[in-house]
Amino acid sequence: MNRKTQQEQGPSVPQRAPLGRRRLRNAQFAGLATLACAGALLAIAVMAPAQAAEDTPAADASPLHLAGNIGVVSQYIFRGTTQTNEKPALQGGFDLTHDNGLYAGVWLSNISWISDTNPAASASLEADVYAGWKPALADWLNADLGVLHYAYPGSYPTGMTKPDTTELYAGLDAKWIAFKYSYSTGNTFGNAGTSGSSYADMSLNHELFAGINGVAHIGRQRYTGPNASALSYTDWKLGLTRDFSGYVLGLAYTDTNAADAGYTIRGKNIGRSQVVLSMNKTF
């Protein structure tokens, strides 16, 4: 989105016979390798602050900071499209940040859009690994430069374009308004020949009254390649959030103009209007 897209018509890929035993084993090894990389990142994140604390008289003087998050949503919506066939998702991750603006993290969620699109594929996890730099340009303005890899470990039938996607991104955050541009470096979410696809979005987040924040978002997913017209679309969201002693509850309405030709899975458009409930906790 989130991660993810998604999505695409769940990706536009042919459904073919399942992989042979050797091919399946290779796919499983690839999935384990992805999870191992994520695990290594978390291990480094956990050990780094501990080491800094040992070398510093006061633990709170460390320039490194580790934070975790966990949440549950009524469904996982990524760039306006449902990733879980309108079913709930459990999500969470860790972020390691430095006072100089450098950061790295990992984020996980269950998904179903891949197998919903192609029952011969077996992939129910999204693992996002990212790193970047967020320098302060002014008291009210931060930049954000980084890279994000969406990994979907699992097994895939012969001939299917894997949905794993890497994006480079750049953004500006002016307190309650933010803009971000993401650029795909290869095949994008399972669509072959889509290198150079992009996503641009603008978000507003501002307190309205009594601790209730208003959230507004608009984004444009642009695809390259032969199916660009069917896959490109605009999404938008309006929502409210409220922090209750560290537990953030959210309610949002999302919608898109995604074409049926590009985003119909199991007889329904995964980009149609949705209402999403969420609860998140940072620790």
Side-chain angles (χ1 to χ4, degrees), residues 47-209:
M47 291 187 294
Q51 182 63 45
E54 293 176 0
D55 298 337
T56 308
D60 59 4
S62 171
L64 289 169
H65 312 279
L66 178 66
N69 63 86
I70 188 169
V72 60
V73 292
S74 59
Q75 63 173 306
Y76 173 20
I77 297 290
F78 175 65
R79 295 179 181 173
T81 63
T82 179
Q83 307 293 284
T84 52
N85 195 25
E86 302 180 6
K87 294 180 175 59
L90 178 64
Q91 306 172 333
F94 290 92
D95 291 286
L96 179 64
T97 61
H98 193 281
D99 288 345
N100 63 12
L102 293 173
Y103 64 88
V106 60
W107 184 85
L108 308 172
S109 177
N110 60 286
I111 58 160
S112 68
W113 66 269
I114 296 173
S115 57
D116 290 339
T117 303
N118 189 338
S122 177
S124 59
L125 175 69
E126 175 183 326
D128 301 346
V129 181
Y130 50 90
W133 180 44
K134 187 175 287 188
L137 304 181
D139 291 341
W140 54 274
L141 182 65
N142 292 319
D144 190 6
L145 304 170
V147 58
L148 191 159
H149 180 70
Y150 301 88
Y152 302 92
S155 60
Y156 297 89
T158 302
M160 179 176 179
T161 301
K162 291 191 67 176
D164 290 10
T165 301
T166 299
E167 291 183 337
L168 305 176
Y169 58 84
L172 291 172
D173 185 348
K175 296 191 179 298
W176 55 272
I177 183 170
F179 174 81
K180 186 175 182 180
Y181 177 83
S182 301
Y183 177 89
S184 177
T185 62
N187 291 330
T188 307
F189 301 111
N191 290 291
T194 55
S195 176
S197 296
S198 62
Y199 184 74
D201 73 284
M202 180 174 290
S203 299
L204 307 176
N205 191 326
H206 193 64
E207 183 175 352
L208 300 178
F209 58 89

Side-chain angles (χ1 to χ4, degrees), residues 5-12 78-81 181-182 184 188-189 191-200 219-236 255-264 269-271:
T5 311
Q6 21 209 53
Q7 27 201 40
E8 342 216 75
Q9 72 175 24
S12 52
F78 175 65
R79 295 179 181 173
T81 63
Y181 177 83
S182 301
S184 177
T188 307
F189 301 111
N191 290 291
T194 55
S195 176
S197 296
S198 62
Y199 184 74
R220 176 66 180 174
Q221 177 71 66
R222 184 189 66 84
Y223 274 92
T224 60
N227 297 319
S229 60
L231 295 176
S232 300
Y233 67 94
T234 300
D235 72 284
W236 53 92
D255 202 356
T256 78
N257 64 356
D260 290 343
Y263 292 90
T264 297
N269 189 321
I270 63 172

Side-chain angles (χ1 to χ4, degrees), residues 33-50:
T34 299
L35 295 180
C37 290
L41 176 62
L42 292 180
I44 294 172
V46 171
M47 291 187 294

